[in-house]
């Protein structure tokens, strides 16, 4: 949008060169609005991708070990995660090493998150996506252990989220999972649909549409890749978006909107 405004304003003020200058300024503003200030330099994407993956696997190890025992469900979840990423043998070994590093009870995650925030913290959605992945990991064995929840709350705080915001996000992810594969898996499906979008039955149609659009924007493939999310992880973000879409469609049908 600002590209067009910049071109028109620049053309009126200074002709061709003004239009060209306006185009570049408008493009810069559009990128900041879409990706956040941390994502405005596409040349930093490779670094953001590397730091994002490093943080994911270290955090997965820490989370898996939080209750004192790495369950088979958690191991299977990480294995499935690596298969979806299509990792090479070398990258797989690196990911396993990071997972084991995080699982070491003596390992301090503070420097990992300080680095993540310095490299990825000013992007628009990478913090959200990271936290959602970790919540899904915590739910891999069917429940969230109090020690896992305490660690997630700590991580959320390092990412800049308050406890209430984290609780709402975890509730949304839990209920979005009820719509995995396009299937409704609970009897109270409509209630779950509202929770999946972070709204309730008292919310107006406009509020529901706004919540839906915000979530879909959060998982938009082009925006995530523009911020540095590894390409192989886009499919996982797309799965999350499909769950949100199914929930929203159910609400639309119930409200005739």
């Amino acid at each position: 949008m600002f590209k067009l405004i910049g071109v028109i304003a620049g053309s009126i003020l200074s002709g061709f060169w003004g239009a060209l200058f306006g185009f570049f300024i408008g493009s810069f503003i559009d990128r900041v609005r879409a990706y956040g200030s941390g994502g405005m330099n596409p040349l930093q994407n490779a670094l953001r991708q590397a730091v994002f993956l490093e943080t994911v696997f270290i955090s997965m190890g820490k989370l898996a070990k939080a209750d004192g025992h790495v369950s088979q469900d958690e191991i299977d979840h990480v294995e499935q995660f690596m298969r979806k990423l299509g990792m090479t043998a070398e990258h797989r070994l690196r990911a396993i090493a990071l997972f084991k590093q995080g699982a070491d009870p003596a390992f301090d995650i503070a420097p990992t998150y300080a680095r993540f925030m310095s490299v990825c913290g000013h992007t628009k959605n990478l913090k959200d996506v990271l936290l959602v992945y970790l919540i899904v990991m915590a739910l891999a064995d069917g429940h969230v252990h109090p020690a896992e929840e305490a660690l997630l709350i700590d991580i959320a705080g390092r990412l800049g989220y308050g406890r209430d915001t984290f609780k709402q996000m975890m509730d949304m992810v839990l209920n979005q999972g009820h719509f995995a594969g396009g299937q409704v898996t609970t009897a109270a499906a409509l209630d779950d649909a509202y929770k999946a979008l972070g709204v309730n039955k008292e919310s107006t149609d406009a509020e529901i549409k706004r919540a839906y659009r915000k979530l879909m924007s959060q998982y938009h493939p082009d925006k995530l890749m523009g911020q540095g999310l590894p390409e192989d992880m886009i499919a996982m973000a797309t799965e999350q978006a499909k769950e949100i879409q199914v929930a929203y469609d159910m609400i639309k049908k119930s409200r005739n909107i």
Side-chain angles (χ1 to χ4, degrees):
M1 180 181 73
F2 281 93
K3 280 189 289 191
L4 179 60
I5 294 173
V7 168
I8 293 173
S11 178
I12 292 172
L13 292 172
S14 303
F16 172 79
W17 293 111
L20 188 62
F21 180 74
F23 173 82
F24 284 115
I25 293 296
S27 297
F28 177 83
I29 295 173
D30 282 339
R31 188 171 183 87
V32 171
R33 284 168 58 86
Y35 304 146
S37 60
M40 61 189 178
N41 183 2
L43 299 178
Q44 291 292 312
N45 273 10
L47 176 60
R48 286 195 292 270
Q49 289 175 2
V51 170
F52 186 93
L53 283 176
E54 179 180 302
T55 305
V56 165
F57 282 104
I58 286 176
S59 300
M60 280 183 164
K62 198 73 172 175
L63 197 56
K65 192 67 173 180
D67 60 358
H69 170 69
V70 180
S71 72
Q72 187 60 49
D73 286 329
E74 290 167 330
I75 293 172
D76 291 344
H77 181 82
V78 176
E79 289 282 350
Q80 183 183 29
F81 186 82
M82 288 190 290
R83 282 197 300 272
K84 284 184 177 181
L85 291 179
M87 286 184 156
T88 64
E90 181 183 354
H91 289 164
R92 181 184 173 85
L93 288 174
R94 170 64 175 158
I96 292 172
L98 289 169
F99 180 88
K100 290 180 177 179
Q101 184 179 8
D104 183 347
F107 182 77
D108 181 11
I109 63 169
T112 298
Y113 275 87
R115 177 165 166 74
F116 177 86
M117 289 300 290
S118 69
V119 175
C120 304
H122 299 292
T123 53
K124 196 172 181 68
N125 300 118
L126 291 187
K127 293 187 298 180
D128 291 342
V129 173
L130 173 62
L131 191 54
V132 166
Y133 282 157
L134 296 181
I135 292 172
V136 171
M137 169 73 181
L139 291 167
D141 55 3
H143 68 282
V144 179
H145 188 277
E148 293 175 326
E149 184 172 351
L151 176 59
L152 286 171
I153 290 172
D154 176 68
I155 289 173
R158 295 179 188 279
L159 295 174
Y161 300 104
R163 182 183 292 259
D164 291 343
T165 300
F166 164 75
K167 290 281 191 180
Q168 183 187 33
M169 189 177 292
M170 187 163 74
D171 193 41
M172 290 168 65
V173 173
L174 175 63
N175 285 282
Q176 287 164 12
H178 295 162
F179 299 92
Q183 301 296 317
V184 178
T185 59
T186 64
L190 186 58
D191 287 339
D192 292 345
Y194 281 109
K195 292 175 183 177
L197 267 63
V199 295
N200 55 55
K201 290 183 178 179
E202 285 68 46
S203 299
T204 66
D205 290 351
E207 289 170 337
I208 291 169
K209 288 179 181 177
R210 188 159 53 248
Y212 162 75
R213 288 170 181 163
K214 181 179 178 181
L215 286 171
M216 294 303 282
S217 176
Q218 176 180 317
Y219 292 109
H220 192 284
D222 292 340
K223 288 187 177 181
L224 290 175
M225 287 184 68
Q227 294 170 59
L229 186 72
E231 185 175 355
D232 293 328
M233 297 184 74
I234 294 298
M236 303 179 72
T238 301
E239 289 177 13
Q240 205 76 24
K242 287 178 179 177
E243 295 171 7
I244 294 165
Q245 185 66 59
V246 173
Y248 180 61
D249 287 344
M250 177 174 286
I251 294 173
K252 281 202 304 181
K253 185 175 180 180
S254 74
R255 290 188 171 219
N256 294 316
I257 57 176

